[in-house]
Amino acid sequence: MNFSSYRYFYMAALAAAMMGTIGVIARYSEIDPASLTFYRLGVGALILALYLAFTGQLRLLAGKPPVLVLLNGVLLASFILCFLSAIQTISLTLAILLVYLAPALSAILAHFLFAERLTSRTLLLIVLAFFGFAMLQEFQIDSRIEQQQGLWYAMASLVTYTAFILLNKKVPDTVPLYHKSFYQLVVGSLCVLPLMINQPWPEFAQWPWLIVAGLFPGFLALIFALQAIQHLPTRVFGTLAYLEPVVVIIAAWLLFAEPMSLLQWLGALLILASGVAQAWLSQSPKAS
C-alpha cells in the first residue's frame, strides 16, 4: 500500500468507534430496534442533505444511483436492524463480537472474489478468531429460545455486514462519496419504514438520542467507512474495524456491568488479537 497519508486508516478507525456507540444509544434511549434503525438512517440522510445544501454541493445528489448503491442501502438497514434485535436477548458484548467475525469472513471471500491474497498466516488468524467466538460461548449453545433467537439475529447481522463490506468495494469510483452515502441512508430508512406504521411517535426525551444516532453512527460513520472500504484492502479495513467491539466491550462492562467469565475474556482477547495481527501481516505481502 502506498498512501500519501494515513487518512483512510483514521477514517476506518473513527467509523468503527462511532458505530460502536449505537448499542449504548439503544440501551439508554429504550427505543425499539425498528424505530432506532429508521431514525438513525433517516436523520443521517437529512443531516447529510443539509450539509450539502449549506456548502453548495447539493448537486452531488443529482442523478440515478447505481443498483449496487441501492442494494447496499438494503444491506445497511438489515445489518443494523438485526444487530439491534440481537441485543434485546443476548449481551451487547456477545452480539458485537459475533457480528465482528464479518471482517474475517470478508477477508476469506475477498481472496476468491477480488484476488486480495490471503496467506496461510492470515487464514490461521481467521480460524483463531472463530475459535475465540466458541470460547465466548464457553463451548456451549444456550438452549433458551430467547437466547437462540438473539444468536440468529446476530448471525444475520454478520452475513449482511459481510455483504455490505464486499459490495461497497465494487461500487464504481466515479460515484461521488456523498451521492452513494445519501442514497444508502435513504434506501435503508425506507426499508424499515413499513415497520414504523404501528410505532408510537418518539417521546421528547428520546429525540436527543435519535439526533446523536443520526449524526455519529449514522451520517459520519457511514461517510468515513465508505471512504475507507474503497481505498483500503478488505483485511486492513477489517483489522481497523475491530476498534468497534473494543468500544462496545468497554461500554458494556463500565456502563451496564455485563459479566464475563475468564474464558469469555480470553475469547474476546483472542478475537481482537487476531484482528490486530492482520495489520502487521498486511505490511508483509511475502508472508505465507
Side-chain angles (χ1 to χ4, degrees):
M1 294 179 298
N2 184 20
F3 297 116
S4 60
S5 70
Y6 289 96
R7 63 182 180 277
Y8 299 120
F9 290 87
Y10 298 142
M11 285 181 178
L14 286 171
M18 287 187 286
M19 286 182 178
T21 64
I22 191 62
V24 175
I25 294 172
R27 290 285 177 87
Y28 277 121
S29 65
E30 298 183 347
I31 301 172
D32 65 278
S35 296
L36 186 54
T37 303
F38 174 78
Y39 287 106
R40 172 185 176 178
L41 300 177
V43 173
L46 178 60
I47 292 174
L48 175 53
L50 290 174
Y51 169 76
L52 294 177
F54 283 125
T55 57
Q57 303 180 75
L58 202 57
R59 65 185 183 281
L60 293 177
L61 302 185
K64 183 179 179 181
V67 174
L68 271 181
V69 170
L70 301 179
L71 179 57
N72 283 326
V74 176
L75 292 171
L76 178 62
S78 302
F79 154 55
I80 297 171
L81 185 58
C82 289
F83 170 70
L84 293 177
S85 298
I87 65 175
Q88 301 294 306
T89 54
I90 63 176
S91 73
L92 192 57
T93 301
L94 177 58
I96 195 66
L97 285 170
L98 174 55
V99 170
Y100 265 79
L101 292 175
L105 183 57
S106 299
I108 294 174
L109 295 176
H111 173 80
F112 297 103
L113 299 176
F114 307 142
E116 293 187 3
R117 187 168 176 260
L118 189 64
T119 68
S120 58
R121 291 182 181 178
T122 55
L123 182 60
L124 174 61
L125 291 172
I126 290 170
V127 172
L128 289 176
F130 280 95
F131 185 75
F133 172 67
M135 294 171 66
L136 277 174
Q137 286 291 87
E138 297 184 310
F139 302 104
Q140 298 177 1
I141 298 179
D142 199 307
S143 60
R144 291 176 298 170
I145 296 177
E146 296 84 359
Q147 181 83 353
Q148 290 178 345
Q149 184 181 42
L151 289 174
W152 280 115
Y153 275 125
M155 287 293 294
S157 186
L158 161 64
V159 172
T160 50
Y161 184 40
T162 300
F164 176 80
I165 293 173
L166 294 174
L167 291 183
N168 261 298
K169 293 186 71 67
K170 302 305 292 181
V171 175
D173 295 341
T174 54
V175 180
L177 171 66
Y178 291 138
H179 182 93
K180 61 184 178 183
S181 300
F182 176 78
Y183 285 104
Q184 287 189 33
L185 289 167
V186 169
V187 170
S189 62
L190 291 177
C191 288
V192 188
L193 185 59
L195 302 177
M196 298 295 296
I197 296 176
N198 297 321
Q199 296 295 337
W201 189 255
E203 298 177 3
F204 179 77
Q206 292 176 322
W207 275 106
W209 290 111
L210 294 175
I211 295 174
V212 169
L215 177 60
F216 293 104
F219 163 54
L220 289 175
L222 182 63
I223 291 290
F224 291 158
L226 293 184
Q227 275 281 70
I229 287 172
Q230 185 175 0
H231 292 91
L232 295 176
T234 305
R235 64 181 183 276
V236 177
F237 173 81
T239 298
L240 295 170
Y242 277 96
L243 182 59
E244 180 174 350
V246 172
V247 171
V248 173
I249 290 170
I250 294 174
W253 182 49
L254 292 177
L255 301 177
F256 307 120
E258 291 190 355
M260 289 183 67
S261 67
L262 177 60
L263 183 61
Q264 289 175 315
W265 273 114
L266 291 175
L269 290 175
L270 182 58
I271 292 175
L272 298 176
S274 298
V276 171
Q278 293 275 16
W280 293 95
L281 292 182
S282 70
Q283 307 299 323
S284 304
K286 292 183 180 180
S288 59

